[in-house]
């Protein structure tokens, strides 16, 4: 995108100083509205049980699933609750999936004295051939078997299964379906090229000189300092930068100082302090030139449970002075220029990755969209706030751009739905590892990765 | 020498800086003066990678330039990135140069860029919060925010660079104001007043101290100007307001603000002098002190990177506020207040440090504070 427009004046700056160099005004942002209100928690009370989350989730998604089931298996199928099941009768049941996994880290196992077990080390994947699926609804649960992929599905998904109950109390599944894509949103995207830069995993606080230079190059390209005139004018079309989480690196998380004696740690400060200062400076440079949305991630100083609340403004004093800085929640939803964005910092996807046989982040991203829920594993294996009124993670409308941060590599796909939905799925790679960010063109929903590199001990790329 | 460094140092547009570097290289090479110059270039373009077209931006050494250009299918831009005498092993010197120069010019880092964003204007915080009677609430001022909200310091507000601080400080000031109200002890009459500053409330100041640290001395100056006659502790109390202001100004961030600050400081000083009677309340000056303390704290923190000992930070931190004046007494009181305030500061590490620095003064402060309160 950049290159074609910029090519003509590529070599322009290899010349003696010319007259007054042009300054390009940044394209104004119009039509931005922050729609992540459902993800903001007001006063939080953790005295409730998590069972309510599942109850509201099921209640919220049941109508949609029933519609889908009717559409798929015929209008006259019997929709039953688990308590109404009769043996041998073909019917359809809507419920929540539960996968019983042997390797799933369980706190009860850990603290169980008699077993004398050491805590289980974190594994990349916790799936095993012996995992079993169970379907639960409001009152009962039943074991599932049959034409259903146990390895692929995760706990917390709402599904509709079609089959019949066996004598031994198990449900033989003939077919199952997910909620499928939510209803589409009208498209009113911009008519000219508008770009949004998606980056995640800046990983400040532990970076080497190379990686820091790459971050600086990123900031320079966006603020228009780098590049010849053509490239700078293209960069002026970047209307927004979204930083999708993990602004600090994992190294800032070390909590060794808690265990050490006070006199040893008196003069030390948390590694995150330095990292936040660096982040503030980088954000300041960006904010003076482009609106920035900052989403917290797994290693950022905010709450652990989803939905993560925005970083506090006082941590970024320099940058908060600018109205162009927006500290937003994770997950984040916004409408920019008529294009609906929805994305997370990647914790939901990586959690599903651990408990499912799906390996590809893009595939998992697409699957969550088809399942109609941003993070099905939320209360089970991923921290979540005990919602009881409604589950904000249910997808009620289909976004135009659905992204997840901190993926191992960049991938993107344009998904076309049956009802005319067009979704661009983007897995934003971890910048500290890959030095790659994504540029999304809002006009035609295309995406291009942009890589930065400098020269170091290793000379090639 | 990178193009960015040149651009900031000479105050020219970045594109011009790049062209200047190129011109210099060409001329030197033509002259064949013998000094070997190593040049790095920035190349950007499209590259086919992993099956999709990826836009690559790379800093390459001169010898790799052609190789990189041939790898890219379309070249979007090529320009000189930096020039140096010695061959660089890696790019960390480049980063360090840029980092230093940007850090020194954080406030206007987009001035020489090719893109100007009209939406990026610093927020101006509402002045309101507080400002309880100017005479009364001096202590609060500490916040740099207060500075912005300071009623008396209208002119100050006018200055653009402080705007930014003010905005943030204003926010804190508001909080501080609320807090200030609560803390009667702080009530020191900040004669210095700068009532507006006091409004900022010392409490917020402490909180702001972290922020203050960021804002640097400039912010502190403002506060100081307002109220802090007492801040002496760190430095020279005797310093005249203008001088102090100047020193405060020296803080990296706002050079431009100096003149403004000085003026204001001077004004404030006068005000303070008038309110000498309030001096007794020095304890209330905490607010004033807060800014100073905060400044001190800030300074300390800022300097944390450079030197580890907190103590050192204190002396060097030229809190302009000090100029205010000789009120050592209020200082201690403020300090005391500052201390507790500092504890409130969220940064744990910073808190620790701040406490340390102030601890030594704590004793004096406490006494003063007590006395002030009694008085």
């Amino acid at each position: 995108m950049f290159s074609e427009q910029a090519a003509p004046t590529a070599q322009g700056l290899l010349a003696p100083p010319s007259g007054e160099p042009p300054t390009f005004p940044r394209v104004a942002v119009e039509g931005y509205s922050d729609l992540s209100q459902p993800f903001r928690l007001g006063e939080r009370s953790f005295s409730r049980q998590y069972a309510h989350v599942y109850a509201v989730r099921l209640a919220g998604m049941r109508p949609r699933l029933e519609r889908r089931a009717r559409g798929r298996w015929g209008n006259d199928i019997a929709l039953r609750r688990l308590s109404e099941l009769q043996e041998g009768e073909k019917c359809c049941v809507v419920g929540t999936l539960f996968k019983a996994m042997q390797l799933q880290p369980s706190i009860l196992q850990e603290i169980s004295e008699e077993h004398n077990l050491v805590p289980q080390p974190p594994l990349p994947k916790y799936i095993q051939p012996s995992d079993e699926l169970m379907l639960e609804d409001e009152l009962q649960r039943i074991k599932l078997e049959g034409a259903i992929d146990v390895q692929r599905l995760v706990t917390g998904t709402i599904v509709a299964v079609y089959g019949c109950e066996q004598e031994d109390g198990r449900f033989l599944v003939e077919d199952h379906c997910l909620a499928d894509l939510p209803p589409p949103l009208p498209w009113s995207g911009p008519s000219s090229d508008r770009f949004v830069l998606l980056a995640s995993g800046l990983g400040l606080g532990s970076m080497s000189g190379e990686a820091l230079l790459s971050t600086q190059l990123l900031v320079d390209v966006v603020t228009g300092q780098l590049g010849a005139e053509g490239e700078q004018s293209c960069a002026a079309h970047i209307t927004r930068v979204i930083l999708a989480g993990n602004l600090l690196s994992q190294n800032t998380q070390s909590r060794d100082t808690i265990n050490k004696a006070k006199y040893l740690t008196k003069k030390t400060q948390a590694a995150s302090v330095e990292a936040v200062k660096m982040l503030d400076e980088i954000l300041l440079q960006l904010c003076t030139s482009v609106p920035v949305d900052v989403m917290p991630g797994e290693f950022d100083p905010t709450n652990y449970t989803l939905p993560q609340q925005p970083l506090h403004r006082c941590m970024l004093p320099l940058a908060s002075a600018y109205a162009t800085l927006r500290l937003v929640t994770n997950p984040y939803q916004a409408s920019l220029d008529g294009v609906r964005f929805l994305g997370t910092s990647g914790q939901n996807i990586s959690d599903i990755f651990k408990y499912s046989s799906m390996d590809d982040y893009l595939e998992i991203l697409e699957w969550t969209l088809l399942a109609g829920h941003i993070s099905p594993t939320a209360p089970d294996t991923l921290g979540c706030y005990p919602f009881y009124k409604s589950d904000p993670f249910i997808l009620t409308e289909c976004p135009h751009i659905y992204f997840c941060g901190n993926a191992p590599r960049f991938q993107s796909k344009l998904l076309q739905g049956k009802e005319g939905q067009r979704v661009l799925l983007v897995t934003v790679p971890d910048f500290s590892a890959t030095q790659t960010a994504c540029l999304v063109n809002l006009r035609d929903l295309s995406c291009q990765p942009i890589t930065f590199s400098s020269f170091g001990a290793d000379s090639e790329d | 020498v990178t193009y960015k460094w040149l651009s900031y140092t000479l105050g020219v547009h970045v594109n011009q800086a790049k062209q200047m570097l190129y011109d210099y290289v060409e001329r030197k090479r033509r002259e064949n003066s013998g000094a070997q110059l190593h040049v790095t270039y920035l190349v950007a373009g499209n590259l086919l990678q992993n099956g999709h077209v990826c836009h690559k931006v790379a800093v390459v050494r001169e010898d790799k330039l052609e190789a990189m250009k041939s790898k890219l299918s379309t070249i979007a831009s090529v320009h000189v990135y930096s020039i140096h005498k010695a061959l660089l092993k890696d790019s960390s010197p480049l980063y360090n140069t840029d980092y230093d120069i940007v850090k020194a010019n954080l406030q206007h880092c987009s001035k020489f860029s090719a893109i100007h964003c009209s939406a990026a204007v610093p927020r101006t915080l509402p002045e309101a919060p507080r400002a309880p009677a100017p005479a009364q609430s001096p202590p609060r001022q500490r916040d740099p925010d207060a500075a912005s909200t300071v009623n008396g310091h209208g002119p100050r507000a006018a200055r653009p660079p402080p705007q930014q601080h003010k905005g943030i400080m204003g926010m804190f000031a508001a909080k501080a104001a609320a807090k200030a109200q609560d803390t009667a002890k702080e009530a020191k009459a900040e004669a210095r007043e700068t009532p507006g500053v006091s409004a900022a409330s010392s409490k917020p100041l402490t909180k702001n101290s972290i922020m203050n640290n960021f804002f640097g001395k400039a912010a502190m100056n403002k506060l100081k100007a307002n109220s802090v006659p007492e801040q002496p502790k760190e430095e020279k109390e005797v310093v005249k307001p203008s001088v102090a202001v100047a020193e405060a100004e020296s803080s990296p961030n706002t050079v431009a603000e100096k003149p403004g600050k000085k003026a204001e400081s001077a004004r404030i000083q006068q005000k303070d002098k008038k309110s000498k009677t309030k001096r007794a309340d020095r304890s209330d000056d905490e607010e004033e002190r807060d800014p100073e303390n905060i400044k001190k704290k800030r300074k300390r923190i800022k300097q944390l990177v450079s030197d580890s000992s907190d103590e050192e930070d204190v002396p060097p931190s030229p809190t302009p506020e000090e100029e205010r004046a000789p009120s050592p007494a209020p200082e201690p009181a403020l300090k005391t207040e500052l201390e507790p305030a500092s504890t409130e500061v969220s940064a744990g590490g910073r808190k620790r440090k701040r406490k340390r620095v102030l601890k030594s003064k704590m004793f004096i402060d406490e006494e003063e504070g007590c006395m002030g309160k009694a008085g």
Side-chain angles (χ1 to χ4, degrees), chain A residues 3 14-15 23-24 26 216 220 223 225-227 231-232 267-268 281 288-289 317 321 449-451 453 461, chain B residues 3-4 15 18 22 46 54-57 59 71 77 79 103 110 113-114 116-117 123 168 214 352 356:
Chain A
S3 315
L14 286 175
T23 316
F24 307 97
R26 168 94 50 198
Q216 191 61 48
D220 287 345
T223 55
Q225 302 188 352
L226 216 57
E231 179 139 3
Q232 286 167 342
K267 274 212 180 214
T268 59
E281 283 158 17
T288 50
S289 173
I450 176 164
T451 321
S453 72
D461 277 331
Chain B
Y3 76 94
K4 212 194 286 188
N15 287 355
K18 296 168 199 164
Y22 177 77
N46 271 354
C54 140
H55 188 80
K56 191 164 176 70
V57 179
V59 175
K71 266 208 303 191
S77 55
H79 66 78
K103 203 149 172 169
S110 274
S113 151
H116 276 279
C117 179
R123 280 192 248 246
I168 300 194
F214 283 113
R352 275 201 293 260
R356 272 146 109 251

Side-chain angles (χ1 to χ4, degrees), chain B residues 22-333:
Chain B
Y22 177 77
D23 197 33
Y24 180 80
V25 171
E26 287 299 300
R27 254 190 278 136
K28 268 282 183 298
R29 296 245 168 103
R30 249 178 276 133
E31 285 169 22
N32 229 346
S33 56
Q36 263 289 2
L37 286 179
H38 292 103
V39 190
T40 60
Y41 289 89
L42 180 99
V43 183
N46 271 354
L47 178 68
L48 199 64
Q49 196 173 46
N50 299 338
H52 45 240
V53 180
C54 140
H55 188 80
K56 191 164 176 70
V57 179
V59 175
V60 293
R61 278 195 281 252
E62 199 167 5
D63 40 359
K64 303 265 176 2
L65 176 63
E66 291 309 314
M68 182 59 82
K69 272 171 47 170
S70 57
K71 266 208 303 191
L72 299 174
S73 55
T74 343
I75 299 181
S77 55
V78 180
H79 66 78
V80 177
Y81 190 84
S82 70
I83 305 181
H84 14 82
K85 279 244 170 75
L87 188 62
L88 291 183
K89 284 279 176 324
D90 61 34
S91 42
S92 36
L94 293 180
Y95 175 74
N96 291 336
T97 321
D98 278 346
Y99 180 76
D100 291 334
I101 195 71
V102 168
K103 203 149 172 169
N105 295 315
L106 266 183
Q107 297 317 317
H108 12 89
C109 41
S110 274
K111 214 153 90 162
F112 304 115
S113 151
I115 299 180
H116 276 279
C117 179
S118 48
V121 281
R123 280 192 248 246
T124 47
L125 291 171
E127 313 257 273
R130 33 337 147 15
Q136 304 337 19
S137 48
R140 312 295 157 124
Q141 308 196 295
R142 279 199 250 203
D143 304 323
D145 295 332
S148 48
T149 57
V150 172
N151 333 342
H153 309 285
R156 239 199 269 175
R159 273 190 301 200
Q163 290 288 15
Q164 183 174 335
H165 301 294
K166 284 196 222 164
I168 300 194
M169 298 215 280
M171 292 193 271
F172 281 97
K175 277 199 239 165
K179 287 225 171 148
Q181 315 292 357
D182 303 336
T183 52
K185 41 186 175 347
E186 320 276 285
K188 307 174 196 198
E190 295 298 300
R192 3 189 190 187
E193 238 19 316
T194 28
V197 178
S198 42
S201 40
S202 45
K203 283 288 175 75
L205 275 179
T206 49
K207 287 187 190 154
N208 296 327
S209 37
I210 299 187
M211 289 206 352
N212 291 345
N213 282 308
F214 283 113
F215 288 125
K217 304 173 192 168
M220 291 294 288
N221 288 340
K222 285 204 232 173
L223 286 173
K224 292 249 165 165
N226 300 326
S227 53
V228 193
E230 29 208 45
Q231 281 291 0
K233 53 179 172 175
E234 276 107 73
E235 355 221 81
K236 38 253 183 107
E237 314 225 325
V238 291
V239 181
K240 284 172 190 175
S242 52
V243 177
V245 176
E247 292 181 87
E249 300 293 2
S250 54
S251 64
N253 287 345
T254 48
V255 176
E257 296 177 288
K258 274 201 203 161
K261 285 203 180 138
K262 281 191 192 166
E264 293 194 349
S265 318
R267 233 175 285 123
I268 298 175
Q269 283 263 342
Q270 285 163 11
K271 281 187 194 170
D272 292 332
K273 291 195 177 135
K274 283 182 206 157
S275 48
K276 281 226 170 125
T277 47
K278 301 265 176 125
R279 288 274 194 87
D281 294 40
R282 287 288 164 174
S283 48
D284 295 338
D285 281 330
E286 269 184 31
E287 280 138 4
E288 307 238 29
R289 253 200 263 184
D290 264 340
E292 292 179 350
N293 288 337
I294 295 185
K295 275 214 291 206
K296 296 199 183 107
K297 285 187 191 161
R298 280 187 283 182
K299 295 214 181 111
R300 230 172 284 129
I301 294 187
K302 266 203 210 158
Q303 294 174 359
L304 270 174
V305 189
S306 39
D307 56 290
S308 45
S309 74
D310 293 347
E311 270 65 29
E312 287 176 23
D313 289 345
V314 179
S317 58
T319 49
E321 295 174 29
E322 315 276 326
E323 37 183 350
R324 271 280 142 203
S327 40
E331 279 282 342

Side-chain angles (χ1 to χ4, degrees), chain A residues 317-390:
Chain A
L318 293 170
S320 324
Y322 284 85
T324 44
L325 178 77
R326 285 198 64 92
L327 299 164
V328 293
T329 57
N330 165 38
Y332 173 52
Q333 185 169 229
S335 167
L336 183 67
D337 255 343
V339 179
R340 176 76 71 97
F341 277 79
L342 175 63
T344 64
S345 297
Q347 290 116 315
N348 53 334
I349 308 294
S350 57
D351 200 57
I352 297 176
F353 174 82
K354 276 193 267 184
Y355 295 100
S356 157
S357 61
M358 292 189 275
D359 273 331
D360 194 18
Y361 269 57
L362 192 68
E363 189 189 341
I364 298 178
L365 195 63
E366 187 180 344
W367 184 83
T368 57
L369 199 59
L370 291 173
H373 199 274
I374 297 177
S375 169
T377 56
D380 190 34
T381 44
L382 189 61
C384 174
Y385 175 74
F387 294 107
Y388 70 104
K389 283 211 199 112
S390 66

